[in-house]
């Protein structure tokens, strides 16, 4: 019996979390952004009606949690309409935002529409570093949005991506979060995909920095208890076992990109020889259960040694397929983070290289529409190094110069 003919209820669980990347337009230029490096490709964003169709199909399948992200989702003028529809369908709706574009009128309307949760990102605890890392002047505005979140009785959830340039400020970051009344703080060390991978040497902290930051976090956790829940997420490069990426390929999470492409994780479009489908062509149900892309790395039939016979394979399912491809060129390989991988030396070498001033003092590449187009153009001319070229979807084409991303 072919995989697509198996009774779905006995073989594949429905998705629980739907991530809707409603736009790749963004007022920030973050150096660690997880959006695809080629996000400024030729594409049209899904319309309001198309997003409503996606939400209905996802809810019918059993998805209960909806994440609205981007880019900056507040740039969608129809965001309130999308939220209202999602709430009517029964989703728990979470907005992941930089805060840029949030006004009192909008937060009031989002509350009326039924938004459950807002996660606000900061780049640092200081105006200077926050604004440098995003290449904007947004720190003061973010603080105002934090006040609005509290005023409108949302749980205060603050996210700060950590890396070499801000990790030594972790005590100040936590003091800021406490002063703002944050109930949840996610200290997510940069994971090196997309724009973070382009800037890996400049962003990868030292082991000493990580240990010091973790120690400070523990002290805050002990002092504050349940008043402020802290989540400190280690970077893969200082681990010896990989994470179960997205809790397993096509197992819990389903991501719909701004143009309707559906992925098991937000960076999987870079993987070669997989044709991921669009909600414009296929139903979400068919894509999740029957598409070759979503069935590619389910289970363990795809595994090679040392993963195939590893007694720990159920814990990590071989790790991240995108990281394996980025670092080895083979998406079927063991995640090089694992010290059982024959490619683990690539992780060790990257850590050593990142601590050399000649590497980490190089200019940073900011996430901009112009740079996204330039990187695609360099790839097409054969001017991009092989590791960087692996970050791009093979057939992506740059949109016209100065055209609005998402609208051709």
């Amino acid at each position: 019996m072919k995989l697509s003919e198996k009774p779905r209820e006995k073989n594949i669980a429905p998705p629980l979390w739907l991530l809707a990347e409603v736009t790749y337009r963004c007022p920030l230029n973050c150096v660690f952004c997880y959006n695809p490096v080629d996000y400024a490709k030729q594409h049209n964003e899904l319309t309001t009606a198309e997003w409503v169709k996606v939400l209905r199909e996802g809810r019918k399948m059993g998805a209960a949690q909806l994440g609205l992200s981007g880019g900056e989702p507040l740039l969608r003028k129809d965001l309130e309409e999308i939220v209202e529809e999602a709430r009517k369908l029964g989703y728990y709706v979470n907005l992941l935002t930089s805060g840029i574009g949030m006004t009192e009128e909008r937060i009031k309307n989002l509350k009326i529409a039924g938004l459950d949760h807002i996660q606000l990102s900061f780049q640092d605890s200081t105006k200077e570093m926050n604004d440098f890392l995003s290449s904007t002047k947004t720190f003061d505005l973010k603080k105002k949005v934090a006040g609005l979140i509290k005023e409108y009785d949302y749980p205060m959830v603050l996210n700060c991506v950590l890396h070499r340039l801000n990790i030594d400020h972790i005590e100040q970051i936590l003091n800021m979060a406490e002063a703002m009344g944050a109930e949840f703080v996610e200290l997510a060390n940069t994971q090196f995909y997309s724009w973070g991978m382009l800037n890996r040497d400049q962003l990868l902290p030292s082991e000493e920095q990580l240990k010091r930051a973790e120690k400070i976090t523990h002290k805050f956790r002990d002092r504050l208890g349940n008043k402020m829940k802290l989540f400190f997420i280690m970077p893969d490069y200082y681990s010896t076992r990989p994470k179960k990426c997205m809790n397993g390929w096509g197992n819990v999470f389903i991501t719909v990109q701004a143009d309707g492409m559906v992925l098991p994780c937000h960076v999987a479009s870079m993987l070669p020889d997989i044709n991921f489908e669009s909600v414009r062509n296929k139903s979400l149900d068919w894509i999740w259960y029957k598409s070759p892309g979503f069935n590619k790395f389910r289970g363990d039939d795809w595994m090679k040694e040392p993963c195939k016979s590893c007694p720990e394979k159920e814990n990590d399912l071989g790790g991240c397929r995108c990281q394996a491809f980025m670092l080895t060129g083979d998406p079927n390989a063991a995640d090089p983070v694992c010290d059982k991988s024959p490619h683990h030396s690539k992780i060790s070498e990257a850590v050593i290289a990142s601590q050399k001033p000649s590497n980490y003092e190089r200019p940073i590449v900011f996430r901009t529409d112009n740079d996204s187009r330039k990187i695609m153009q360099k790839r097409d001319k054969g001017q991009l190094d092989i590791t960087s070229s692996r970050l791009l979807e093979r057939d992506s084409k740059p949109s016209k110069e100065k055209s609005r991303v998402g609208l051709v």
Side-chain angles (χ1 to χ4, degrees):
M1 180 182 285
K2 294 180 180 179
L3 181 60
S4 61
E5 296 174 350
K6 292 180 181 179
R8 66 182 61 161
E9 64 274 8
K10 292 184 179 180
N11 297 279
I12 303 169
L16 300 178
W17 178 291
L18 170 60
L19 178 65
E21 295 181 328
V22 293
T23 184
Y24 285 139
R25 290 173 283 142
C26 189
L28 305 188
N29 308 123
C30 299
V31 299
F32 46 75
C33 183
Y34 71 81
N35 283 167
V37 171
D38 51 358
Y39 76 88
K41 64 183 179 180
Q42 296 176 16
H43 73 276
N44 288 302
E45 294 175 5
L46 295 182
T47 64
T48 309
E50 286 173 321
W51 275 118
V52 167
K53 179 174 179 288
V54 168
L55 297 180
R56 289 174 179 170
E57 290 182 358
R59 191 74 186 99
K60 187 176 180 181
M61 293 166 67
Q65 190 122 348
L66 173 67
L68 297 169
S69 75
E72 176 46 66
L74 287 167
L75 290 177
R76 290 279 305 218
K77 294 180 180 179
D78 59 354
L79 184 64
E80 290 85 346
E81 189 175 345
I82 292 171
V83 169
E84 184 177 11
E85 179 64 25
R87 199 70 184 88
K88 285 178 181 176
L89 290 168
Y91 284 100
Y92 182 89
V93 188
N94 179 20
L95 174 65
L96 295 85
T97 178
S98 67
I100 312 308
M102 184 69 83
T103 61
E104 183 160 10
E105 182 182 3
R106 289 209 80 179
I107 200 168
K108 181 179 179 180
N109 290 337
L110 286 166
K111 191 77 174 180
I112 293 169
L115 182 66
D116 294 290
H117 183 114
I118 300 174
Q119 180 175 301
L120 178 66
S121 68
F122 274 81
Q123 280 66 39
D124 195 71
S125 59
T126 69
K127 180 175 182 178
E128 293 75 19
M129 186 57 75
N130 181 91
D131 291 356
F132 167 73
L133 290 168
S134 61
S135 191
T136 61
K137 294 181 179 179
T138 55
F139 183 73
D140 291 336
L141 178 56
K142 285 173 176 286
K143 290 181 72 175
K144 289 179 181 178
V145 172
L148 285 173
I149 289 171
K150 295 293 289 186
E151 182 181 343
Y152 279 82
D153 200 30
Y154 282 104
M156 180 62 191
V157 184
L158 188 147
N159 169 271
C160 186
V161 177
L162 299 178
H163 43 76
R164 177 200 300 276
L165 300 177
N166 70 356
I167 195 167
D168 292 333
H169 304 160
I170 194 164
E171 186 168 6
Q172 295 94 319
I173 291 169
L174 289 171
N175 281 329
M176 177 185 73
E178 184 181 7
M180 288 179 176
E183 288 121 319
F184 302 89
V185 179
E186 182 178 290
L187 301 165
N189 278 278
T190 301
Q191 302 297 332
F192 295 100
Y193 301 89
S194 303
W195 296 88
M197 186 64 175
L198 290 179
N199 294 304
R200 185 179 65 182
D201 285 345
Q202 297 93 322
L203 298 180
L204 186 62
S206 68
E207 189 171 9
E208 290 73 24
Q209 284 181 302
L210 276 170
K211 287 180 178 177
R212 187 163 56 248
E214 197 170 17
K215 185 178 180 180
I216 292 170
T217 303
H218 284 318
K219 284 185 177 179
F220 266 81
R221 192 178 283 127
D222 291 342
R223 179 172 67 82
L224 295 171
N226 289 327
K227 180 183 175 184
M228 188 167 79
K229 293 184 179 179
L230 304 179
F231 303 91
F232 187 90
I233 302 170
M234 288 289 289
D236 287 351
Y237 280 55
Y238 288 100
S239 303
T240 56
R241 290 290 180 273
K243 298 179 179 72
K244 184 187 285 186
C245 187
M246 304 302 291
N247 206 39
W249 179 281
N251 188 35
V252 173
F253 295 89
I254 188 166
T255 297
V256 181
Q257 292 190 312
D259 63 353
M261 184 184 288
V262 187
L263 303 173
C265 78
H266 45 260
V267 295
S269 59
M270 74 168 97
L271 294 175
D273 306 320
I274 303 178
N275 292 317
F276 291 108
E277 295 287 351
S278 170
V279 292
R280 285 175 165 149
N281 302 321
K282 298 283 187 179
S283 72
L284 210 59
D285 183 282
W286 186 92
I287 293 170
W288 177 261
Y289 290 108
K290 296 184 179 182
S291 70
F294 269 78
N295 284 301
K296 178 74 173 177
F297 295 113
R298 278 185 170 133
D300 59 11
D301 288 347
W302 59 270
M303 288 184 181
K304 299 162 63 171
E305 295 295 350
C307 297
K308 196 164 187 67
S309 59
C310 180
E312 299 179 66
K313 68 180 180 181
E314 293 301 322
N315 296 330
D316 57 45
L317 297 180
C320 177
R321 300 302 87 223
C322 297
Q323 192 152 256
F325 174 62
M326 280 191 299
L327 298 178
T328 75
D330 180 6
N332 295 279
D335 188 332
V337 165
C338 184
D339 62 7
K340 297 180 181 182
S341 166
H343 302 286
H344 184 67
S345 61
K346 291 185 178 292
I347 296 291
S348 307
E349 290 164 3
V351 170
I352 293 170
S354 71
Q355 306 312 309
K356 295 179 179 178
S358 58
N359 287 332
Y360 67 69
E361 291 177 354
R362 288 182 298 146
I364 287 178
V365 181
F366 287 91
R367 175 212 190 268
T368 68
D369 300 355
N370 193 40
D371 275 332
S372 180
R373 294 185 187 102
K374 282 182 178 179
I375 291 168
M376 281 183 272
Q377 290 163 357
K378 283 185 178 180
R379 174 207 56 196
D380 294 341
K381 294 176 182 176
Q383 299 173 349
L384 207 60
D385 66 85
I386 189 165
T387 301
S388 297
S389 68
R390 289 173 183 159
L391 302 176
L392 283 71
E393 186 183 333
R394 286 196 173 184
D395 297 325
S396 58
K397 298 297 178 187
S399 57
K400 294 179 181 179
E401 296 295 329
K402 299 182 180 179
S403 63
R404 195 197 81 176
V405 168
L407 186 65
V408 179

